């Protein structure tokens, strides 16, 4: 029985009733070819045009078998992605999680031995800068210099195992060191008070200071680890650039003041804890006590550092010069010169002295007796904020330059674990360094092997290098710190000039204010103000709903654009009455010259004609909501709507006289409101109820499906609102038909 759908099939068959059917096998049935008259039967070279084909339905059991095969194939296609994802807690699942959270497991197996020489060279260059910086920054913490190397040892090794950035150099950092030193210096007054009227022995002071530094390192690691585990990696962008720059500038000036005293050889003040402003006054009042030889050596060290940098910039093509570690050259030259001239014995120059550089003994950090735990916790939070912001920014920058990805949350986990484990080995808080990361990138590091090599060289320095630095002048270490800190201040004049050029007065004031507070009061005050003010700015801006008042275009009656202050007190020709809107809704020949409206329309996100104006429709408030509403920003919605009703412009001061006619209808354009939570929905319902009591009709247009379903569940229609409109024009026409009062033009 033939089931061909071709209506001419019978005719074709009637042309040659004796023509045989040539079967062709098919999974879905049998194809029979009917030769066309005049074509040779059974010819293998017959073209498709020389025969007609008919499809004969297969038997029932064949169709069932085919259907089963299709179902099996579809089932395999559905299960294949699941198998590719692997079952939870299977061996493959664990391997993938380990490679994700311990990146070295993944990249070490794929490491190319050809990159080893480059990584070793990069690690050596970073170590030549890391070791002098660690010794210098250790002095900022009021700890023995070896603790700076401790902060560069275990934390850097842990980051090489867990970090995602190939170029971030982990270790002590100037701002973190000064914050740690400020905490240690503040806690020492409790120790001195406990020994009063006597003075605590030096060993007790060192043990107390080390205990406070390790405790804050542990707390910092726990806070950072928690931020990463709970996916708070976005917090690095919560501090505004102006606030951060103001704090960095103030902290840099604080470091400069403290190190200038050492460079000049002025004896330390008698007070255990003093503000930066008091330190400045102390230096100025004791300039006559400057040690001439110490000052000369310090200035010579800075001059040599600057000279080497200038030569590198001048002769960029000279490869061997680019590989010269300038900081290490200065330390070697200063140590050799001090030893040869016996500066300590003959001229009384302060030197590095003997430092026990053995390996740290692992121990769980504990808060020392007489130390305030709340001060340690608050300082740990401050250090976490600064360290996280700096490290994540540096990691992202060099990842972008070298075309690989880093995860903020995984970075936080790596930084947290580095400080947690490092605190058990005598390390104070350690984070990424911009200067060392820049050097690592310049040396073309390929992987974390460069960090491991730098860590190994730090270990060698701890075990055998420190005795050779006995004659190193302390002023040279301070000169190295000053040279590094000056680079932090180099970006401040550019930031100030940029903010002045763009007339960002609030940001400029914020930068200068936080900088001055850090200098006059303390660095803790500076960072506290930076964080608090930034959070207040975020809350303030998120608390204000983004709404715009719309008006009708004078070119196209169906087009509505944002307006600002189109209501003139003396000229009513800029207004369009509700009745004339309906009667002239199809008339697009109206032209009103309104420069204020034109300039505002140019700033909107819609393409507008610069010669076209925008009119306010009298008696109608057309409001566009440009963001989702939730409990934080919906609270101010009612107040902002009231101001629009009275003034037609949110920038008008509330002390001005109302300039708008009574509102008869309100149209909400919700094109930008993709979501609304329960609190905001309740506030919106109360607004609709209030409008209903006043006899004001309310319409919502361009609702998304989620918002529409929430409106239906909340009974928005029962409150008097209508929301079955596709655009503003149709909503206005509908409202006009139901209003009995006509507004005067």
């Amino acid at each position: 029985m033939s089931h061909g759908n071709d209506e001419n099939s019978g005719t074709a068959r009637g042309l040659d009733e004796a023509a045989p059917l040539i079967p062709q096998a098919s999974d879905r049935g049998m194809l029979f070819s009917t030769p066309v008259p005049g074509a040779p039967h059974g010819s293998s070279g017959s073209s498709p045009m020389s025969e007609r084909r008919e499809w004969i339905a297969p038997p029932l059991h064949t169709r069932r078998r085919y259907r089963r095969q299709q179902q099996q194939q579809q089932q395999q296609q559905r299960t294949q992605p699941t198998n590719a994802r692997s079952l939870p807690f299977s061996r493959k699942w664990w391997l993938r999680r380990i490679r994700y959270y311990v990146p070295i497991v993944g990249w070490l197996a794929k490491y190319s031995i050809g990159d080893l020489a480059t990584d070793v060279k990069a690690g050596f260059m970073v170590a030549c800068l890391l070791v002098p910086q660690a010794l210098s920054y250790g002095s900022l913490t009021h700890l023995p210099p070896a603790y700076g190397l401790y902060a560069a040892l275990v934390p850097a090794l842990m980051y090489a195992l867990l970090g995602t950035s190939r170029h971030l150099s982990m270790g002590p950092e100037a701002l973190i060191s000064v914050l740690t030193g400020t905490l240690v210096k503040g806690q020492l007054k409790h120790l001195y008070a406990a020994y009063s009227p006597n003075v605590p022995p030096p060993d007790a002071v060192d043990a107390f200071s080390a205990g406070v530094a390790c405790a804050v390192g542990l707390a910092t690691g726990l806070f950072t680890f928690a931020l990463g585990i709970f996916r708070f990696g976005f917090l690095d962008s919560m501090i505004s650039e102006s606030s951060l720059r103001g704090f960095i500038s103030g902290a840099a000036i604080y470091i400069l003041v403290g190190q200038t005293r050492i460079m000049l050889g002025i004896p330390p003040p008698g007070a255990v804890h003093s503000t930066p402003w008091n330190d400045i006054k102390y230096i100025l009042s004791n300039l006559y006590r400057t040690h001439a030889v110490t000052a000369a050596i310090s200035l010579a060290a800075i001059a040599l550092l600057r000279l080497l940098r200038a030569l590198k910039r001048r002769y960029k093509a000279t490869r061997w010069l680019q590989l010269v570690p300038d900081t290490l050259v200065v330390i070697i030259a200063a140590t050799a010169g001090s030893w040869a001239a016996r500066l300590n014995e003959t001229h009384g120059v302060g030197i590095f002295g003997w430092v026990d550089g053995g390996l740290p003994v692992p121990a769980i950090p504990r808060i020392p007796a007489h130390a305030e735990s709340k001060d340690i916790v608050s300082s740990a939070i401050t250090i976490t904020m600064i360290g996280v912001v700096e490290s994540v920014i540096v990691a992202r920058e060099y990842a972008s330059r070298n075309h690989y990805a880093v995860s903020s949350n995984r970075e936080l986990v790596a930084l947290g674990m580095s400080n947690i484990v490092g605190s058990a080995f005598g390390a104070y808080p350690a984070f990424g360094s911009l200067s060392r990361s820049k050097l690592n990138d310049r040396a073309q590091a390929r992987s974390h092997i460069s960090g491991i090599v730098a860590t190994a060289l730090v270990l060698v320095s701890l075990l055998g290098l420190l005795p050779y630095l006995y004659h190193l002048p302390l002023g040279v270490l301070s000169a190295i710190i000053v040279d590094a800190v000056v680079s932090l201040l180099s970006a401040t004049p550019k930031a100030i000039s940029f903010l002045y050029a763009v007339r960002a007065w609030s940001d400029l004031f914020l930068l200068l204010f936080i900088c001055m507070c850090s200098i006059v009061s303390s660095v803790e005050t500076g960072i506290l103000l930076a964080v608090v003010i930034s959070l207040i700015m975020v809350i303030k801006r998120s608390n204000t709903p983004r709404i715009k008042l719309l008006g009708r275009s004078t070119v196209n009656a169906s087009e509505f654009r944002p307006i600002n202050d189109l209501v003139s007190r003396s000229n009513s020709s800029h207004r369009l009455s509700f009745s004339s809107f309906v009667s002239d809704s199809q008339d697009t020949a109206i032209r009103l010259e309104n420069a204020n409206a034109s300039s505002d329309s140019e700033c909107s996100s819609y393409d507008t004609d610069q010669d076209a104006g925008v009119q306010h429709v009298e008696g109608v408030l057309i409001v566009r909501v440009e963001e989702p509403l939730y409990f934080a920003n919906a609270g101010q919605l009612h107040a902002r709507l009231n101001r629009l009703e009275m003034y037609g412009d949110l920038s008008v001061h509330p002390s001005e006289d109302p300039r708008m006619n009574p509102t008869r209808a309100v149209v909400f354009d919700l094109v930008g409101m993709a979501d609304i939570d329960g609190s905001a929905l309740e506030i919106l319902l109360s607004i609709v109820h209030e409008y209903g009591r006043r006899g004001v009709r309310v319409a919502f247009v361009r609702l998304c499906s989620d918002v529409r379903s929430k409106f239906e569940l909340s009974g928005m229609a029962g409150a008097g609102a209508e929301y079955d409109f596709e655009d503003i024009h149709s909503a206005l026409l509908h409202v006009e038909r139901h209003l009995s009062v006509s507004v005067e033009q």
Side-chain angles (χ1 to χ4, degrees):
M1 179 178 175
S2 174
H3 292 275
N5 293 328
D6 191 350
E7 61 182 3
N8 296 323
S9 61
T11 306
R13 186 177 291 260
L15 292 175
D16 193 355
E17 292 292 342
L21 295 178
I22 304 173
Q24 297 179 6
S26 174
D27 291 339
R28 303 186 184 185
M30 298 293 290
L31 282 173
F32 290 88
S33 300
T34 306
V36 177
H41 294 287
S43 175
S44 59
S46 60
S47 66
M49 297 298 296
S50 63
E51 63 181 20
R52 302 193 65 86
R53 298 194 177 196
E54 295 183 1
W55 181 80
I56 303 300
L60 181 61
H61 70 276
T62 304
R63 296 200 301 269
R64 289 178 176 174
R65 184 180 64 218
Y66 174 74
R67 192 178 298 115
R68 284 196 301 268
Q69 292 175 353
Q70 291 292 100
Q71 291 175 354
Q72 290 176 359
Q73 291 178 1
Q74 292 175 1
Q75 182 67 21
Q76 290 176 358
Q77 292 175 358
R78 285 194 298 265
T79 58
Q80 185 175 1
T82 304
N83 294 333
R85 287 195 299 267
S86 74
L87 296 175
F89 305 109
S90 64
R91 182 174 179 273
K92 185 180 293 185
W93 186 90
W94 279 111
L95 287 176
R96 290 182 176 179
R97 294 307 184 274
I98 291 174
R99 281 196 296 266
Y100 183 83
Y101 290 106
V102 187
I104 192 173
V105 176
W107 63 259
L108 189 60
K110 304 175 183 178
Y111 184 73
S112 174
I113 196 67
D115 296 333
L116 183 61
T118 303
D119 282 335
V120 170
K121 180 197 71 174
F124 177 79
M125 293 181 64
V126 171
C128 290
L129 178 62
L130 175 58
V131 172
Q133 279 190 350
L135 294 173
S136 302
Y137 295 159
S139 63
L140 295 175
T141 61
H142 302 282
L143 296 170
Y147 281 86
L149 294 176
Y150 294 161
L153 186 63
V154 176
L157 181 61
M158 289 299 301
Y159 184 81
L161 301 177
L162 303 175
T164 60
S165 174
R166 305 170 196 165
H167 298 88
L168 186 68
S169 177
M170 187 75 172
E173 206 275 332
L175 292 180
I176 304 301
S177 298
V178 74
L179 289 173
T180 305
T182 303
L183 171 66
V184 172
K185 191 175 181 180
Q187 295 302 305
L188 281 174
K189 63 183 180 182
H190 301 299
L191 180 66
Y192 278 83
Y195 276 86
S196 182
N198 300 318
V199 177
D203 292 341
V205 173
D206 290 343
F208 180 85
S209 301
V212 172
C214 293
V216 75
L218 176 61
T220 300
L222 291 174
F223 287 139
T224 309
F225 181 79
L227 290 177
I229 286 294
F230 293 107
R231 298 185 176 275
F232 280 89
F234 63 90
L235 288 180
D236 63 287
S237 58
M238 292 297 291
I239 301 179
S240 69
E241 182 67 23
S242 300
S243 301
L244 186 61
R245 176 54 53 191
F247 165 73
I248 291 176
S249 303
I253 294 174
Y254 170 76
I255 297 173
L256 284 176
V257 170
Q259 297 307 307
T260 300
R261 181 190 61 80
I262 300 176
M263 289 176 58
L264 297 177
I266 299 175
V272 176
H273 182 70
S274 61
T275 63
W277 181 249
N278 291 334
D279 290 341
I280 293 175
K281 293 190 294 184
Y282 175 80
I283 292 175
L284 294 177
S285 61
N286 288 271
L287 283 176
Y288 66 93
R289 303 174 66 180
T290 299
H291 194 274
V293 179
T294 300
I297 294 173
S298 302
L299 294 176
I302 292 180
L304 182 56
L305 284 171
R306 293 292 173 177
L307 176 62
L308 291 174
R309 300 240 174 83
L311 290 175
K312 287 184 177 181
R313 288 192 299 269
R314 177 67 177 81
Y315 301 100
K316 293 182 179 180
T318 308
R319 186 171 180 79
W320 67 267
L321 182 60
Q322 303 300 320
L323 299 178
V324 173
D326 42 14
T327 306
L328 186 62
V329 168
V330 170
I331 285 183
I332 293 175
T335 303
S338 176
W339 171 76
R342 299 187 177 276
L343 295 178
N344 179 249
E345 293 87 352
T346 58
H347 298 284
V349 175
I351 59 175
F352 188 73
W354 175 260
V355 176
D356 185 9
L359 292 177
V361 179
I364 299 177
R366 300 181 183 275
I367 298 178
H370 312 301
E372 294 289 341
S373 58
K374 62 181 181 63
D375 293 340
I376 292 177
V377 172
S378 62
S379 295
I381 295 175
T382 302
I383 292 172
T384 299
M385 292 178 181
I386 296 300
V388 164
V389 170
E390 288 190 341
S391 300
V392 174
I393 288 176
V394 172
R396 286 178 177 174
E397 177 181 354
Y398 288 103
S400 176
R401 289 186 182 182
N402 293 275
H403 311 292
Y404 64 90
V406 295
S407 168
S408 297
N409 294 316
R410 291 166 67 191
E411 282 294 294
L412 293 180
V413 170
L415 295 171
M417 286 301 300
S418 300
N419 281 292
I420 290 173
V421 179
S423 65
F425 290 86
Y428 64 86
F431 286 94
S433 168
L434 176 60
S435 59
R436 297 194 300 269
S437 300
K438 183 188 300 183
L439 180 61
N440 204 20
D441 176 63
R442 190 182 304 165
Q444 300 178 345
R446 297 286 192 270
S447 68
H448 290 282
I449 294 294
S450 62
I452 296 175
V453 171
T455 303
L457 294 177
V458 170
L459 179 61
V460 172
S461 302
L462 268 171
L463 296 178
L465 179 63
L466 292 183
Y468 296 98
L469 299 178
Y470 180 88
H471 292 281
L472 175 64
L474 293 178
V476 174
L477 289 178
S478 297
I480 294 173
I481 296 175
V482 168
D483 181 72
V485 168
V486 167
S487 64
L488 295 177
L489 284 173
S490 61
T492 302
K494 297 179 182 178
I496 293 176
S497 62
F498 173 78
L499 295 177
Y500 178 81
V502 299
R503 303 296 190 265
W505 307 121
S506 59
D507 291 329
L508 181 59
F509 171 78
L510 189 61
L511 188 155
L512 298 176
F513 175 71
I514 293 178
C515 179
M516 290 303 300
C517 289
S518 301
I519 297 172
V520 175
S521 179
S522 65
V523 289
E524 294 97 332
T525 303
I527 186 57
L528 180 63
L529 286 173
V531 172
V532 171
I533 293 176
S534 297
L535 291 178
I536 290 175
M537 292 170 62
V538 170
I539 294 172
K540 179 180 181 297
R541 294 185 179 182
S542 64
N543 189 42
T544 304
R546 291 170 50 198
I547 61 176
K548 283 186 178 180
L549 183 66
L550 303 184
R552 197 196 76 168
S553 171
T554 59
V555 177
N556 186 353
S558 300
E559 184 178 359
F560 296 85
R561 299 170 182 168
I563 59 178
N564 191 17
D565 185 9
L566 303 177
V567 183
S568 174
R569 300 183 188 183
S570 58
N571 189 356
S572 62
S573 63
H574 296 297
R575 306 180 184 183
L576 181 69
S577 71
F578 200 1
S579 300
S580 67
F581 165 77
V582 178
S583 61
D584 299 337
S585 60
Q586 304 301 325
D587 183 11
T588 60
I590 300 176
R591 295 285 190 268
L592 293 180
E593 296 297 330
N594 194 322
N596 196 11
S598 298
S599 62
D600 187 76
S601 63
E602 291 172 8
C603 298
S604 68
S605 59
Y606 294 84
D607 295 332
T608 61
D609 185 358
Q610 292 184 358
D611 296 331
V614 183
Q615 304 172 289
H616 175 73
V617 181
E618 280 298 320
V620 182
L621 201 65
I622 307 174
V623 179
R624 173 180 293 149
V625 182
E626 298 188 323
E627 65 179 352
L629 291 179
Y630 64 108
F631 68 94
N633 62 0
Q636 297 292 324
L637 182 60
H638 195 184
R640 292 173 72 83
L641 289 174
N642 287 338
R643 291 188 65 179
L644 286 178
E645 285 189 65
M646 297 174 63
Y647 307 107
D649 184 3
L650 293 173
S651 63
V652 178
H653 196 273
S655 62
E656 298 288 333
D657 295 329
R659 58 180 69 176
M660 299 287 288
N661 290 332
T663 301
R664 306 300 297 161
V666 179
V667 177
F668 290 97
D669 181 10
L670 304 185
V671 64
M673 195 178 81
D675 190 21
I676 184 171
D677 69 354
S679 300
L681 189 58
E682 189 174 0
I683 293 173
L684 199 57
L685 271 172
S686 66
I687 293 174
V688 173
H689 277 297
E690 181 180 344
Y691 280 137
R693 288 193 297 268
R694 293 166 46 191
V696 178
R697 299 192 67 89
V698 179
F700 295 93
V701 302
R702 298 200 284 184
L703 283 73
C704 68
S705 57
D706 292 341
V707 174
R708 181 182 295 274
S709 62
K710 291 183 179 180
F711 275 23
E712 293 173 353
L713 293 174
S714 65
M716 185 68 73
E722 299 171 287
Y723 46 85
D724 292 326
F725 305 104
E726 294 297 329
D727 53 38
I728 301 174
H729 186 74
S730 59
L732 286 176
L733 292 176
H734 175 80
V735 170
E736 168 65 14
R737 284 195 297 267
H738 290 79
L739 284 178
S740 58
V741 180
S742 177
V743 182
E744 181 182 356
Q745 289 191 359

